[in-house]
Amino acid sequence: MGSAHERILVLDFGSQYTQLIARRIREAHVYSEILPYNVPLARILERRPAGLIFSGGPASVYDRKAPSIPAPLLEAGIPILGICYGMQLVTQVLGGKVARAAHREYGPATLLVDDVTDLFKGLEGERARPTVWMSHGDRIEEMPPGFRSIARTSNTPVAAMKATSPGRRIYCLQFHPEVAHTESGVTILKNFVHNICGLKPDWTMRSFMTDAIAAIRDQVRAGQVFCALSGGVDSSVAAVLAHRAVGDRLTCLFVDHGLLREGEPQVVRETFAKHFKIKLKFINASARFVKALDGVSNPERKRKIIGRLFIKEFEAFARKAGKADWLVQGTLYPDVIESVSFKGPSATIKTHHNVGGLPARMRFKLIEPLRELFKDEVRELGKELGLPDEVVWRQPFPGPGLAIRILGPVTKERLATVRAADAIVEQEIRKAGYYQKVWQAFAVLLPVRTVGVMGDERTYDNVVAVRAVTSVDGMTADWARLPSEVLASISTRIINEVKGVNRVVFDISSKPPSTIEWE
Ligand code: XMP
């Protein structure tokens, strides 16, 4: 787990690439975390980082409210890598001069490396002139005292610089080593974390797993542990991890609210009871949920009803099970991350996402073993724990389930329609090899009917919208450019096989301004 490992802290100044920096460092098997640039100095130091990276950002250091850092941070003896805005900030704080570049530089540039002793170690011979990715309007006019240039481009005399006195390990790059377009970017970042910060590449999923199990064991010395399973990858991985730590003291609860995807309850049941021998209480509550939702159209009301009923089921279960002290939750890093660029306006939109939230009076102590991981890392951990692909690669699914994919009133019939259409979308997406390439692909049942003709009959039937998006975290998304043949087979099959549907449309909106789900 991160706490047992030395870490790199990435201070976020609002760059769209901040997350990518943290990921690249983790890919180099070093644990890294993102913090907003303005966390108090004491909080940074208490985390005892082995290195700091300052991200890029949209501001200019001369803007009136430009984000800055306390000068003592630069003199704390911690190795620092400033990227783009991070470089300009270091320059300004240490007494150099930043100015508007005559030409704003965006996109590729050829780097001429002048010093291959540390940060650019290995960038020799054929690798001496890498293409790097620039994205800046300001440039370094005058380096701060005690710095020298270690690389240039034809437009930028100081494309990289370092502090000259030995022991003062401050490095800066005008370009972005974290983006895939920068050649040897990974080498540069590895040089920084492995050689300059002196961190061993020993942060792997296996080491994370071992540490996380030990940490839960340590935390939960006695008492009963509960986990609400949703069937998704996050809660499943969290449950299996907790089970490894506390064994039979863990009981999982799976509430089938009748709003799940086709086959989902069975997969969860089989996986947990058969393969993992985890105590699983399976509650089929579909009739209660569907009845409560009958005729309800308002999206927020649907969510509230589902959240409330879920809590009721959980309370009834907890009452029967006796005293439970701990609750395992599959909270991920994106849910806890405090970063300037990561949150943003969508932060508040997402607050309703957790199914209801359990009442405060239940007073569980929380175990959140995944709170340091990104989604794909959770999948890797799931594989490490032996979870089947079925679960590990399940696409995300909202807590309120199909209820928020039926626009207008939820009824049993409409549930059956959207579930059947959704299963076809999934099958065709899998068949075409797109299941793991898209973040989510699903069907939405619209509250409109349109005219069609089937055989010689006029029909007046439902419309299904197909939504397929690419995304890294669900916070932003783009509609997936699926091949037209795939769309064609989805459409043909839905119209032919799902009763009551005579038209299929494809959603071509990105998030923002749309959201992934329609409600
Ligand atoms: P939106 O629709 O806000 O969705 O773009 C972003 C991601 O979150 C999922 N989602 C939910 N997950 N409870 C959940 O657990 C919810 O109420 C909920 N609503 C949306 C959505 O599927 C997507 O992956």
Side-chain angles (χ1 to χ4, degrees), residues 303 349-350 352-355 396-400 404-405 439-440 474 511 515-517 519:
R303 283 176 192 277
I349 300 173
K350 283 207 85 177
H352 55 253
H353 279 184
N354 286 334
V355 183
F397 188 64
I404 57 165
R405 293 182 182 169
W439 170 263
Q440 274 171 301
K511 171 185 178 174
T515 52
I516 296 176
E517 305 291 344
E519 287 197 334

Side-chain angles (χ1 to χ4, degrees), residues 161-241:
M161 65 180 191
K162 74 174 184 188
T164 46
S165 72
R168 196 175 177 224
R169 293 165 295 173
I170 304 180
Y171 297 80
C172 293
L173 301 171
Q174 186 61 79
F175 59 90
H176 291 272
E178 68 276 21
V179 305
H181 303 289
T182 292
E183 287 170 3
S184 295
V186 171
T187 306
I188 297 168
L189 290 171
K190 280 184 174 170
N191 282 338
F192 179 69
V193 297
H194 296 159
N195 304 334
I196 295 167
C197 302
L199 291 178
K200 281 202 267 340
D202 59 4
W203 191 77
T204 60
M205 254 324 135
R206 177 149 289 229
S207 73
F208 177 90
M209 181 179 84
T210 318
D211 292 351
I213 293 170
I216 298 174
R217 226 174 253 153
D218 224 37
Q219 194 183 357
V220 186
R221 288 175 188 268
Q224 294 297 312
V225 184
F226 277 172
C227 175
L229 268 186
S230 71
V233 56
D234 307 342
S235 64
S236 301
V237 170
V240 174
L241 202 61

Side-chain angles (χ1 to χ4, degrees), residues 74-392:
L74 294 174
E75 306 300 346
I78 307 166
I80 288 171
L81 178 65
I83 297 174
C84 201
Y85 182 79
M87 177 189 210
Q88 290 144 17
L89 193 60
V90 169
T91 303
Q92 196 209 27
V93 173
L94 293 180
K97 220 160 124 195
V98 178
R100 285 250 162 252
H103 310 279
R104 295 156 76 92
E105 222 181 344
Y106 290 101
T110 303
L111 190 72
L112 304 169
V113 178
D114 296 317
D115 175 347
V116 291
T117 53
D118 38 31
L119 192 62
F120 296 136
K121 207 171 188 167
L123 270 63
E124 292 156 79
E126 276 181 9
R127 300 173 73 195
R129 291 170 152 247
T131 298
V132 297
W133 205 255
M134 293 282 190
S135 167
H136 63 105
D138 289 352
R139 67 177 212 168
I140 308 305
E141 191 82 350
E142 224 174 81
M143 284 179 281
F147 275 76
R148 74 180 164 78
S149 166
I150 52 173
R152 319 155 261 145
T153 70
S154 57
N155 281 327
T156 312
V158 190
M161 65 180 191
K162 74 174 184 188
T164 46
S165 72
R168 196 175 177 224
R169 293 165 295 173
I170 304 180
Y171 297 80
C172 293
L173 301 171
Q174 186 61 79
F175 59 90
H176 291 272
E178 68 276 21
V179 305
H181 303 289
T182 292
E183 287 170 3
S184 295
V186 171
T187 306
I188 297 168
L189 290 171
K190 280 184 174 170
N191 282 338
F192 179 69
V193 297
H194 296 159
N195 304 334
I196 295 167
C197 302
L199 291 178
K200 281 202 267 340
D202 59 4
W203 191 77
T204 60
M205 254 324 135
R206 177 149 289 229
S207 73
F208 177 90
M209 181 179 84
T210 318
D211 292 351
I213 293 170
I216 298 174
R217 226 174 253 153
D218 224 37
Q219 194 183 357
V220 186
R221 288 175 188 268
Q224 294 297 312
V225 184
F226 277 172
C227 175
L229 268 186
S230 71
V233 56
D234 307 342
S235 64
S236 301
V237 170
V240 174
L241 202 61
H243 186 246
R244 286 270 184 100
V246 304
D248 260 3
R249 281 193 284 142
L250 173 74
T251 307
C252 289
L253 172 69
F254 182 87
V255 177
D256 179 359
H257 53 17
L259 311 166
L260 295 167
R261 289 168 285 191
E262 192 156 288
E264 203 157 18
Q266 291 84 317
V267 172
V268 174
R269 220 171 166 162
E270 278 176 21
T271 308
F272 282 84
K274 242 199 220 148
H275 300 306
F276 290 105
K277 312 254 178 294
I278 293 179
K279 273 193 267 171
L280 175 69
K281 177 77 181 149
F282 187 93
I283 296 177
N284 185 348
S286 24
R288 291 191 283 281
F289 277 79
V290 174
K291 184 159 172 259
L293 286 168
D294 194 29
V296 176
S297 300
N298 182 292
E300 283 308 302
R301 268 199 69 211
K302 287 180 189 172
R303 283 176 192 277
K304 289 219 174 85
I305 290 171
I306 294 164
R308 201 168 27 99
L309 277 185
F310 181 82
I311 290 166
K312 235 171 119 182
E313 297 291 339
F314 201 91
E315 280 181 326
F317 161 75
R319 251 197 321 272
K320 267 194 234 144
K323 188 171 154 42
D325 312 273
W326 301 89
L327 182 72
V328 181
Q329 279 193 334
T331 317
L332 301 195
Y333 193 44
D335 301 325
V336 294
I337 195 169
E338 305 169 54
S339 115
V340 182
S341 41
F342 205 82
K343 292 279 183 201
S346 55
T348 43
I349 300 173
K350 283 207 85 177
T351 48
H352 55 253
H353 279 184
N354 286 334
V355 183
L358 296 170
R361 71 193 138 82
M362 293 185 81
R363 282 190 216 288
F364 288 110
K365 284 174 273 181
L366 283 185
I367 305 170
E368 296 181 311
L370 312 180
R371 53 183 291 128
E372 287 162 347
L373 302 185
F374 290 107
K375 188 93 178 179
D376 57 333
E377 292 173 330
V378 172
R379 291 197 159 122
E380 212 185 306
L381 178 60
K383 278 193 274 181
E384 200 69 60
L385 285 162
L387 276 152
D389 281 359
E390 255 316 75
V391 178
V392 168

